[in-house]
Amino acid sequence: MSHDPTAVGTTTGATTDDITADDLPTLPTDRHTGCPFDPPEGLTALSDEPIRRMRYADGHVGRLVTGHATARAILADPRFSSRYELLHLPVPMGGVSGEIPPAPAGDIIGLDAPEHTRYRRLLTGKFTVRRMRQLTERVEQFTEECLDAMEQAGPTADLVEAFAQPVPALMICELLGVPYTDRKRFQGHVATIFDQTADAEATGEAYTALLQYLAELVLAKRAEPTDDLLSDLTTSDLTDEELAGVGGLLLAAGLDTTANMLGLGTFALLSNPDQLDALRADPGLAGQTVEELLRYLSVADPLLRSALEDVEVEGALIRAGETVTVSVQAVNRDPRRFPDPNRLDIHRKATGHLAFGHGAHQCLGQQLARVEMAVAFPALLSRFPTLRLAVPPQEVPLRNRSNIYGVISLPVTWDKE
Amino acid sequence: MSDPQAPLRLGADRERCAGAGMCALTAPAVFDQDEEEGLVVLLHPAPAPEHRAAARMAVGLCPAGAIALGSPDS
């Protein structure tokens, strides 16, 4: 492991003022044209060392982690905080490049223990492996309905609009108790929140509008509880504001992540016909295909932490206050952990990838995502045996500037029977 | 980990558990999650030989470090 000579031996408690930030790399974000599944070229070049210094959007000198073992160590270590207000952004996100406001009530991603633990405990029982498997039939039903509509309107479609978005949207709406017919009211807000090109004002307005919608919904659930997660939570000690915050987070997290895995994942399978054929021939490979696509695509990226005290990791001394950017896509392509990492191989054991993160914040909804994808991919391929791109692959528009990577649209076509 | 079939003693710490479900997914014969809180339930602290490899993998995957080899039950 590499030693960072500039870190060890500097004055105790020193900030990073003595390091010339201008000489340091920034986080590469733009993908190489024609290789939409591979990390940005510049990122691969920075991945030769598992952890290195990096310049942030506001000039802060922090770290970039690209090594699998280093990422696991940091994400599992409570000396690294997730509180938004302690973080520096690697690149401007959601129109913000400088100081980040603290997490609003209920936003568990931006909180540490014990606040984080309190919220998380209320939710974990709702997302167990068993509960999510019990939802398989509902997922199958939603999937078939979307495929029916797509087939009737075809033989061309935008797969994102017809399939990748509605399947997870229907499921998270059902689980939370959000009327699906309301989705147009909040889907635009969610898109703005995740849009890195939106300015701070637009992001703030979208967030407020989403919370406003959920606040109304919480009041409705209190008045008339139904059989869903939000109604269940009204019996907890959470305030209305906290409930709306939790609801907003789950809605945002459940809509966009799986949708982009389904859209980009289909694109990746169509671009790797041998893998596609293998999955078609044996739908029993669905589970491990999902794991491999999670590893290969790593759509939710990067993860940020801030050191609460000086911590030594893999020979590098990370100073209190330093922000660490864990590049999940780089970590999941770490050749020390995954042999031949740039190859999509649904026969490999991809378990152990960090696509859902690691540590106390590891994705709460991951078992739901697994069920949705394990149902949706084989159903799509079986319904459309001749599914193919309707445009050259270079013309598929990519979400290059979003916290959740994916395709903006995926024009597909098939032969009508 | 020398012999994957060597006897195994597991411990689970429900205080540390984050309820991500990796253990119940990876080694369902050894771990479960309770219905209420979704926290780890250790079904077999000394798993049978055929379940030991999966149990070891679950220990390695646990995001919260809540399950461990060779530690007393909590």
Side-chain angles (χ1 to χ4, degrees):
Chain A
M1 291 301 143
S2 66
H3 250 276
D4 188 342
T6 56
V8 182
T10 48
T11 326
T12 308
T15 58
T16 43
D17 295 348
D18 49 337
I19 292 151
T20 314
D22 292 349
D23 298 338
L24 293 169
T26 54
L27 182 70
T29 54
D30 288 336
R31 310 269 174 153
H32 191 58
T33 319
C35 286
F37 316 115
D38 286 345
E41 223 171 334
L43 184 62
T44 310
L46 295 176
S47 300
D48 55 339
E49 294 174 35
I51 178 167
R52 63 194 304 146
R53 291 196 184 280
M54 190 190 88
R55 176 159 50 95
Y56 284 64
D58 61 357
H60 172 77
V61 172
R63 306 288 179 137
L64 169 67
V65 172
T66 53
H68 188 272
T70 313
R72 268 179 60 103
I74 288 172
L75 293 172
D77 191 330
R79 292 174 295 176
F80 288 96
S81 171
S82 292
R83 287 164 56 196
Y84 294 150
E85 70 272 26
L86 301 179
L87 302 174
H88 297 264
L89 291 172
V91 290
M93 288 179 185
V96 181
S97 58
E99 284 181 29
I100 318 169
D107 183 347
I108 57 172
I109 294 177
L111 297 172
D112 292 342
E115 291 83 6
H116 170 259
T117 319
R118 173 177 165 250
Y119 287 113
R120 177 119 185 168
R121 281 283 158 91
L122 287 170
L123 294 170
T124 44
K126 321 278 186 206
F127 288 92
T128 60
V129 172
R130 190 183 306 127
R131 276 199 191 213
M132 294 305 111
R133 281 193 181 141
Q134 285 164 354
L135 292 174
T136 302
E137 244 174 70
R138 294 294 284 155
V139 179
E140 285 169 351
Q141 191 188 335
F142 287 146
T143 303
E144 292 306 322
E145 283 169 14
C146 290
L147 292 175
D148 287 345
M150 186 171 141
E151 192 172 16
Q152 277 162 25
T156 57
D158 169 11
L159 190 92
V160 172
E161 201 188 323
F163 185 71
Q165 277 184 347
V167 171
L170 281 159
M171 276 313 294
I172 196 69
C173 283
E174 163 147 324
L175 206 62
L176 271 175
V178 175
Y180 185 66
T181 45
D182 282 358
R183 75 192 184 285
K184 286 214 176 350
R185 279 183 66 191
F186 57 76
Q187 223 159 15
H189 305 321
V190 172
T192 308
I193 291 166
F194 281 98
D195 181 1
Q196 274 188 31
T197 61
D199 62 41
E201 202 181 333
T203 308
E205 278 172 15
Y207 209 94
T208 310
L210 181 65
L211 288 180
Q212 177 63 38
Y213 169 77
L214 282 151
E216 288 168 26
L217 193 67
V218 165
L219 290 180
K221 299 288 179 192
R222 276 214 199 276
E224 206 172 323
T226 38
D227 182 20
D228 54 62
L229 200 152
L230 219 47
S231 296
D232 281 0
L233 286 180
T234 57
T235 61
S236 72
D237 63 350
L238 295 183
T239 64
D240 286 350
E241 194 193 357
E242 290 173 324
L243 269 172
V246 168
L249 182 81
L250 295 181
L251 195 56
L255 277 172
D256 223 33
T257 46
T258 313
N260 281 290
M261 275 303 300
L262 289 175
L264 191 66
T266 303
F267 188 13
L269 287 170
L270 292 174
S271 305
N272 289 270
D274 57 328
Q275 304 297 306
L276 182 84
D277 292 345
L279 176 60
R280 265 214 184 96
D282 181 5
L285 290 171
Q288 67 188 72
T289 300
V290 167
E291 295 307 317
E292 171 65 348
L293 285 170
L294 283 162
R295 179 197 75 83
Y296 185 69
L297 301 172
S298 306
V299 298
D301 187 55
L303 303 175
L304 307 181
R305 296 290 187 271
S306 174
L308 293 169
E309 55 187 87
D310 291 2
V311 185
E312 195 177 325
V313 180
E314 306 269 318
L317 183 67
I318 301 170
R319 294 287 188 191
E322 271 192 71
T323 291
V324 177
T325 294
V326 176
S327 171
V328 181
Q329 45 179 325
V331 163
N332 282 342
R333 302 278 185 116
D334 183 346
R336 286 156 290 212
R337 179 64 179 76
F338 300 103
D340 198 5
N342 296 324
R343 193 166 160 256
L344 177 71
D345 176 8
I346 66 170
H347 291 96
R348 84 161 78 223
K349 287 190 173 67
T351 314
H353 63 72
L354 301 190
F356 290 120
H358 189 65
H361 286 272
Q362 195 185 57
C363 180
L364 181 72
Q366 60 181 290
Q367 309 305 346
L368 175 61
R370 285 190 167 96
V371 169
E372 290 178 349
M373 286 187 274
V375 167
F377 283 122
L380 173 72
L381 299 181
S382 133
R383 177 71 72 100
F384 301 105
T386 55
L387 189 76
R388 57 190 180 272
L389 290 182
V391 296
Q394 308 88 287
E395 287 177 22
V396 174
L398 304 170
R399 290 172 45 138
N400 255 327
R401 303 285 294 161
S402 167
N403 297 17
I404 313 288
Y405 182 58
V407 290
I408 294 164
S409 66
L410 189 69
V412 292
T413 188
W414 59 91
D415 300 331
K416 223 168 165 88
E417 295 279 306
Chain B
M1 282 173 223
S2 44
D3 177 10
Q5 292 305 305
L8 197 61
R9 187 81 193 165
L10 296 164
D13 182 347
R14 287 171 55 87
E15 284 301 306
R16 293 184 72 163
C17 177
M22 287 313 293
C23 57
L25 183 76
T26 311
V30 183
F31 302 98
D32 199 357
Q33 293 169 279
D34 72 67
E35 283 288 331
E36 277 303 300
E37 294 181 298
L39 300 180
V40 59
V41 175
L42 186 52
L43 301 172
H44 297 289
E50 65 269 31
H51 297 135
R52 284 176 194 158
R56 283 180 202 276
M57 182 181 266
V59 169
L61 289 173
C62 175
I67 48 180
L69 297 173
S71 63
D73 302 359
S74 66

